[in-house]
Amino acid sequence: MRSKVVFARMLRNRQTRYGLIALLVLLLLAYVGPFFGPHDWLEKDFAAFMEPPSADHWWGTTQIGQDVYAVALHGMQKSIVIGFLVALISTGLAALVGASAGYFGGWLDKALMWGADLLLVLPSFLIIAIVSPNLRGGSWLWFVLLLAAFSWMITSRVVRSMTLSLREREYILAARYMGIPGWKIIIRHVVPNLSSLLIIDATLNVSAAIIGEAGLSFFGFGVQPPDVSLGTLIAAGSDKVPGYSWLFLFPSGLLVLLVLSVNLIGDGLRDALDPGSNS
Amino acid sequence: MTILEVNDLNVTFRGGIKAVRGVSYQLARGEVLGIVGESGSGKSVTSLAVMGLLPEGAEISGSVKLHGQELIGMPEEELTRLRGKSIGMIFQDPLSAFTPVYTIGAQIAEAVRIHQKVGKDKAAKRAVELLDLVGIPHPDVRAKAFPHEFSGGMRQRAMIAMAIANDPDVLICDEPTTALDVTIQAQVLEVLKTAQRETGAGIVMITHDLGVVAGLADRVLVMYAGRPVELGGVDEIYYRPRMPYTMGLLASIPRMDRPSARLIPIEGNPPSPAALPPGCPFAPRCPMKVDACDDGEPELEPVGPGSRRAACIRAHEIELKNLDGATIYPVPEPPAETEASRPRAERETVLKVEDLIRHYPLMKGAVFKRRVGTVHAVDGISFDIAEGETLGLVGESGCGKTTTLQQIMQLEAPQDGTVVVLGKDSAKLGRGERTALRRDLQIVFQDPMAALDPRMPVGDILAEPLRAHGRKDVPARVAELLTLVGLEPSHAERYPQNFSGGQRQRIGIARALALEPKLIVLDEPVSALDVSIQAGVINLLEDLKVKLGLSYLFVAHDLSVVRHIADRVAVMYLGKIAEIGAVEEVYARPAHPYTRALLSAIPLPDPNLERSRERILLEGDLPSPASPPSACRFRTRCPKRARLSAEDARRCDTEEPIVTRLAPAADHGAACHYPEVTEVPETAVS
């Protein structure tokens, strides 16, 4: 019943509709777009280096003759997957750890928070830089896990302190007195009441993960060539903006649109989940 | 002599919300004007507008004249000079009205120095005098205390001292006693009367409690949906109301003198100030509505002899026929009594609490915690509830009511003593048994907003206990439950915040009923509701009890509600039971001095009784449960002990009284060495 009501409320919001449409278009572009382009992303056109956009190369070509349209879309696929996966894993982990620590308290709370603090004091960039060469042959999914593992701690502390105050609310007491087990109360009452925070956090995490991935890729620790992501493309195009702006503008434009549409949806979801908001 | 004159005051908030519409009144020197209304009726906004304290964005029109000087549109600087000097204000919550980082004395002295040219030491001396005036013991020492070191009642006294520091001409009191317990409320009302005598100020007393106004006010203004609907002398309003809303309001209060009569609720809810009905705003709820009521809003017009005015097109008819609330409002059918109730001894005991103890350790220190004391929250109480019975658990805040409830609801082994629910000892329950027992034991909370998960539609809230205990026919049962508590099955898709307070409380009750429990624990279920709504919820609880054969443990601080709904009552004081017994016995012949004081402190919505009755005023505040008095807990405040001989009184100091049955009565016990035996004269408690 709840999901139906929430969905109806969400669709009523105009900005959310725009966000949803934009994201849908971007997803279609990323996954269906390459089939319509005249070139494959691995193909190199030795007759056209650094060509501006034309009828043959819609978004121009790169230094080594790759079609920017094909490469950017392929990079976006990777960025979308990494961004969403990292956000999902880290926010989910934060909610789970924070809510359990706050709700159950006692030694579980101490152990979980000690773990979170430990991860907080470790310099994540350094760890990823050290670990990633060992994963060079492995799947990029390891990279996702690494990114997620270092981005949930602060949120989980916030979730924990909010859970501490939620725990004393009468509806939680009512549920407890009804004989509902703790983990069900967490899922059904605690987490939905933190959903505003979690959704904003997840949205921010999507962009943070994409940007974090770009930063690491720039230094060679992230997505490894020949594979590309929006991050590596932006990094590669950033120094050629004055003369060859298409190298930078198309990937970064896609990145901005991607983050913006995710943010719009996040806003709409928050409003729909929070019956107190009027918009 | 009129000192404050309000004419056609209108306040509109952003978004076209008309909070106050056309309020006019005059206040003479030494007069007390009561402004009565339910939440959202615009009574507080009216007084804030008079003080010029409304937030920006509020549009104010009309006129407010103090000594003939117009206050509306006056520059802020000049207003500041008047505020606190000519107009004093007393707020509801005295804790947030004081700055926590300065001492009480310093804050009162500051109020003096802002408006008078006196030296620091003189102002400090004046502060001590003022604290003495409002009855704070050792004022010279207490003046150096910080706000958090004062109890609620003491803070409110200090607030009054601050308000009268500059001999104001007008005192505006916004629900000054709502946050206080009845015995403290009685003390503070006395102080207010003293303050008025000393300053000769006119008082505007804003409250929702018709009892408080009855004893204090000379004239009463009743507000509804931002409009004054009736204005008149206090006797006229209480004995001969002429506006159906006032009539309904008076009829809906549970009365100590008519305990068995059915309460008369006003159907429906007050209109939202953003969407007012076209005609009379009360018309949708009015039992006397005729078509002409929708034509336009009635003006406040004189009715009958005297100064009384009412805003109702049928007021003259009411005057002629001399109607009252009980005749114009439909009296709800009393629930049909199922099988003549068997004697109590033959019925099954659903809850038995014996020598229940709950102490909390008082810890100090940040790194190395050490125990510095013990809070005796519940200190050995015993009571039982038979099938189909309602036990009222009464006491002031801090007496251990809530802790008792938690101990029962947790269904775990208490620190000491036993809790037996439906024949099962809570200490000996296995995990599965405990869950199964929860079906039969449910709770309704005080605050209907906090008790319902705001993120869940009502249908899911009601389905939760059903699913948790594996019921199959969930949607059908949800619809059935909603109908049972007087709501529409189609409401299941809405969120709690789309409902009014009374409706939310009905949802809370429906949830408690979902699993067909045998015992429901009600934690102050009506104290957060307006009186007109409260009556409907109380009636619902009574009906359900008979219909479903429920037992209630009804926790409340409102003694008149308990008198109305309960069969037996237990009065708690500082973690112990002071008196317990059948309601008729306890209310007619209260044996414990504390019960007597409690009963005499309840304000009655009857001006004559209220003026003539003698109050037993208790001294001081509730002692801290961390260091309760030895032997008899009540001895430090006991009015009876003061009258005992020194030898008799020694027994109170050395020997702890236990609850003993009082001989002639079948079901009545008190924990007092010298219980009162005389019947209370009707005027004192009725």
Side-chain angles (χ1 to χ4, degrees):
Chain A
M1 191 174 292
R2 164 150 63 192
S3 45
K4 210 170 72 189
V5 179
V6 168
F7 196 66
R9 280 173 63 100
M10 199 173 99
L11 286 186
R12 236 175 285 149
N13 186 334
R14 198 196 302 167
Q15 288 190 348
T16 321
R17 285 204 301 268
Y18 291 158
L20 271 172
I21 293 167
L23 186 68
L24 212 68
V25 168
L26 285 172
L27 283 173
L28 274 176
L29 190 66
Y31 287 94
V32 185
F35 296 114
F36 293 96
H39 303 279
D40 186 65
W41 75 279
L42 285 169
E43 190 185 308
K44 293 183 183 78
D45 187 347
F46 296 107
F49 297 120
M50 307 279 261
E51 287 284 323
S54 65
D56 187 34
H57 296 286
W58 296 346
W59 290 0
T61 57
T62 66
Q63 232 166 343
I64 51 168
Q66 279 177 311
D67 185 50
V68 174
Y69 174 78
V71 176
L73 294 193
H74 183 81
M76 185 158 75
Q77 284 180 11
K78 190 106 292 170
S79 289
I80 288 174
V81 172
I82 291 178
F84 279 84
L85 271 182
V86 170
L88 206 71
I89 295 171
S90 75
T91 306
L93 200 63
L96 193 75
V97 171
S100 313
Y103 184 84
F104 293 109
W107 63 266
L108 186 73
D109 180 23
K110 284 207 179 91
L112 289 175
M113 283 305 114
W114 187 79
D117 289 345
L118 184 76
L119 279 176
L120 265 179
V121 296
L122 293 175
S124 59
F125 190 88
L126 217 63
I127 305 265
I128 296 178
I130 294 166
V131 175
S132 65
N134 300 325
L135 302 172
R136 198 149 281 178
S139 159
W140 52 272
L141 280 173
W142 284 108
F143 181 57
V144 168
L145 286 181
L146 266 179
L147 269 180
F150 284 100
S151 53
W152 59 273
M153 293 83 70
I154 293 180
T155 316
S156 85
R157 292 227 77 138
V158 179
V159 168
R160 173 181 169 270
S161 63
M162 288 175 82
T163 309
L164 283 180
S165 74
L166 274 180
R167 195 171 64 157
E168 303 303 320
R169 297 276 171 91
E170 287 179 344
Y171 55 82
I172 306 264
L173 280 181
R176 211 184 299 168
Y177 292 154
M178 253 176 243
I180 293 171
W183 60 272
K184 256 192 190 163
I185 292 180
I186 289 183
I187 293 171
R188 218 179 286 163
H189 295 288
V190 178
V191 173
N193 276 292
L194 301 173
S195 54
S196 301
L197 171 85
L198 295 177
I199 284 165
I200 301 163
D201 182 65
T203 344
L204 289 175
N205 274 346
V206 171
S207 40
I210 293 173
I211 289 159
E213 172 268 325
L216 284 161
S217 300
F218 183 86
F219 289 103
F221 300 123
V223 171
Q224 301 299 326
D227 211 349
V228 291
S229 69
L230 284 183
T232 56
L233 289 174
I234 292 169
S238 59
D239 56 341
K240 303 185 185 68
V241 180
Y244 313 97
S245 55
W246 59 91
L247 289 178
F248 176 77
L249 282 185
F250 286 108
S252 56
L254 285 178
L255 180 72
V256 168
L257 281 178
L258 191 62
V259 174
L260 192 70
S261 61
V262 171
N263 271 322
L264 285 177
I265 296 169
D267 273 357
L269 248 178
R270 183 189 55 204
D271 289 348
L273 275 169
D274 184 358
S277 71
N278 299 317
S279 50
Chain B
M1 188 184 78
T2 306
I3 42 174
L4 182 70
E5 194 175 351
V6 176
N7 255 320
D8 195 27
L9 185 72
N10 286 285
V11 179
T12 309
F13 287 112
R14 237 176 248 145
I17 294 164
K18 297 190 178 99
V20 176
R21 302 175 299 134
V23 170
S24 307
Y25 62 78
Q26 282 100 33
L27 184 72
R29 204 166 170 73
E31 189 187 33
V32 180
L33 173 75
I35 299 185
V36 180
E38 295 179 280
S39 45
S41 61
K43 51 192 194 309
S44 292
V45 177
T46 308
S47 62
L48 288 176
V50 169
M51 295 282 282
L53 289 174
L54 281 176
E56 271 176 49
E59 275 176 48
I60 308 169
S61 69
S63 122
V64 175
K65 282 185 178 152
L66 182 73
H67 295 304
Q69 197 184 3
E70 181 63 52
L71 297 186
I72 292 194
M74 185 184 264
E76 182 64 26
E77 285 168 42
E78 285 176 48
L79 262 181
T80 312
R81 244 172 278 146
L82 287 178
R83 263 186 237 135
K85 185 165 198 305
S86 302
I87 309 181
M89 185 136 185
I90 297 165
F91 296 94
Q92 174 175 349
D93 181 5
L95 183 56
S96 55
F98 279 106
T99 311
V101 293
Y102 293 108
T103 61
I104 295 271
Q107 291 186 56
I108 296 175
E110 185 193 13
V112 174
R113 274 168 57 84
I114 284 173
H115 294 290
Q116 297 173 26
K117 277 196 175 146
V118 291
K120 257 192 179 160
D121 43 339
K122 241 189 177 166
K125 209 187 256 167
R126 172 92 177 118
V128 173
E129 280 169 28
L130 284 163
L131 286 175
D132 191 31
L133 182 75
V134 294
I136 288 181
H138 314 297
D140 44 337
V141 182
R142 298 299 277 166
K144 294 189 188 80
F146 286 93
H148 69 267
E149 294 172 297
F150 273 48
S151 68
M154 287 293 169
R155 272 198 294 266
Q156 199 58 289
R157 283 165 191 256
M159 191 74 223
I160 294 172
M162 195 157 153
I164 61 171
N166 295 302
D167 264 327
D169 302 316
V170 180
L171 263 180
I172 296 178
C173 311
D174 191 354
E175 307 257 11
T177 58
T178 307
L180 306 174
D181 284 314
V182 268
T183 58
I184 308 295
Q185 166 172 292
Q187 293 173 354
V188 170
L189 288 177
E190 282 304 313
V191 172
L192 258 183
K193 283 179 196 161
T194 319
Q196 193 204 13
R197 259 201 316 276
E198 289 293 319
T199 59
I203 294 186
V204 179
M205 178 88 184
I206 298 159
T207 180
H208 69 280
D209 189 333
L210 287 158
V212 168
V213 181
L216 202 67
D218 303 305
R219 288 193 305 141
V220 174
L221 174 73
V222 183
M223 287 189 70
Y224 185 78
R227 253 185 108 74
V229 291
E230 190 159 2
L231 173 68
V234 65
D235 290 357
E236 289 173 317
I237 297 276
Y238 278 80
Y239 297 126
R240 293 176 299 282
R242 290 297 173 250
M243 158 77 196
Y245 175 63
T246 319
M247 297 159 83
L249 213 55
L250 286 163
S252 64
I253 313 172
R255 296 278 290 257
M256 304 276 275
D257 44 351
R258 288 188 255 125
S260 53
R262 202 72 169 136
L263 295 181
I264 303 167
I266 306 178
E267 297 294 331
N269 293 296
S272 142
L276 291 167
C280 169
F282 187 60
R285 303 172 74 189
C286 185
M288 295 189 69
K289 185 189 174 233
V290 288
D291 289 345
C293 289
D294 291 334
D295 291 348
E297 210 164 331
E299 290 298 316
L300 204 59
E301 277 163 0
V303 180
S307 61
R308 178 235 301 282
R309 288 139 73 84
C312 178
I313 54 171
R314 298 182 70 182
H316 292 284
E317 186 187 336
I318 297 171
E319 170 79 20
L320 278 179
K321 294 186 188 159
N322 201 15
L323 299 174
D324 67 8
T327 50
I328 66 163
Y329 279 87
V331 180
E333 286 286 308
E337 284 287 329
T338 47
E339 58 169 319
S341 50
R342 283 172 292 152
R344 189 163 185 274
E346 286 174 25
R347 280 181 276 168
E348 197 190 337
T349 304
V350 290
L351 176 70
K352 192 170 176 66
V353 173
E354 236 169 317
D355 299 323
L356 180 71
I357 286 180
R358 174 71 204 183
H359 291 173
Y360 293 101
L362 205 60
M363 300 297 218
K364 215 174 182 179
V367 184
F368 299 104
K369 290 220 164 78
R370 65 203 154 85
R371 189 169 175 149
V372 292
T374 306
V375 177
H376 301 254
V378 174
D379 209 2
I381 65 168
S382 309
F383 59 83
D384 58 350
I385 300 177
E387 195 185 350
E389 187 179 67
T390 303
L391 175 75
L393 193 60
V394 188
E396 296 178 278
S397 44
C399 73
K401 291 173 302 197
T402 308
T403 312
T404 310
L405 283 195
Q406 281 173 355
Q407 292 301 305
I408 295 169
M409 287 308 296
Q410 272 167 6
L411 287 180
E412 271 156 28
Q415 275 179 344
D416 204 353
T418 51
V419 175
V420 181
V421 182
L422 292 164
K424 295 193 179 79
D425 190 334
S426 67
K428 295 171 190 146
L429 287 174
R431 218 196 168 94
E433 280 177 298
R434 186 168 295 130
T435 312
L437 194 56
R438 292 212 183 278
R439 265 170 184 267
D440 294 321
L441 177 65
Q442 291 290 322
I443 188 164
V444 175
F445 289 99
Q446 171 179 13
D447 180 353
M449 193 66 233
L452 306 176
D453 189 338
R455 294 298 168 100
M456 274 193 168
V458 167
D460 276 356
I461 291 176
L462 295 180
E464 185 166 35
L466 297 171
R467 294 208 180 103
H469 288 270
R471 288 271 299 236
K472 292 281 176 294
D473 50 339
V474 172
R477 178 75 180 142
V478 167
E480 191 188 334
L481 284 168
L482 284 169
T483 324
L484 190 65
V485 295
L487 297 171
E488 304 279 328
S490 61
H491 287 167
E493 283 191 27
R494 296 200 208 160
Y495 284 99
Q497 59 139 25
N498 298 336
F499 294 89
S500 68
Q503 287 173 321
R504 276 183 228 144
Q505 198 56 292
R506 283 167 191 266
I507 296 166
I509 293 169
R511 175 175 62 185
L513 290 172
L515 294 167
E516 297 165 5
K518 302 221 169 52
L519 172 66
I520 298 188
V521 172
L522 301 146
D523 186 4
E524 307 250 13
V526 293
S527 64
L529 306 176
D530 281 317
V531 271
S532 70
I533 308 291
Q534 172 182 315
V537 174
I538 292 177
N539 283 347
L540 173 72
L541 287 171
E542 282 179 332
D543 292 346
L544 290 172
K545 182 182 144 191
V546 174
K547 210 159 154 190
L548 306 174
L550 303 168
S551 311
Y552 291 146
L553 173 58
F554 192 102
V555 174
H557 66 269
D558 188 332
L559 287 139
S560 28
V561 170
V562 169
R563 161 114 226 213
H564 187 86
I565 199 166
D567 304 308
R568 298 181 75 231
V569 60
V571 181
M572 279 185 82
Y573 184 79
L574 268 184
K576 291 211 178 256
I577 285 186
E579 186 159 3
I580 185 166
V583 162
E584 304 83 43
E585 300 279 351
V586 174
Y587 278 72
R589 283 176 289 281
H592 199 285
Y594 178 60
T595 317
R596 294 209 150 214
L598 264 187
L599 285 172
S600 87
I602 310 171
L604 301 171
D606 190 325
N608 276 341
L609 281 182
E610 190 64 17
R611 269 178 239 134
S612 61
R613 77 204 282 220
E614 278 209 17
R615 280 228 161 80
I616 306 171
L617 280 184
L618 290 183
E619 299 271 316
D621 294 308
L622 200 68
S624 157
S627 53
S630 61
C632 177
R633 299 240 157 142
F634 189 56
R635 70 183 161 87
T636 50
R637 297 170 78 196
C638 186
K640 170 125 195 180
R641 186 173 169 275
R643 282 181 272 121
L644 294 174
S645 66
E647 197 175 326
D648 285 349
R650 201 167 306 127
R651 194 173 163 210
C652 298
D653 303 345
T654 51
E655 189 186 329
E656 185 170 336
I658 47 166
V659 179
T660 37
R661 199 169 76 85
L662 300 164
D667 179 17
H668 189 184
C672 182
H673 294 305
Y674 308 102
E676 303 271 355
V677 282
T678 53
E679 198 147 326
V680 174
E682 197 57 20
T683 48
V685 284
S686 62

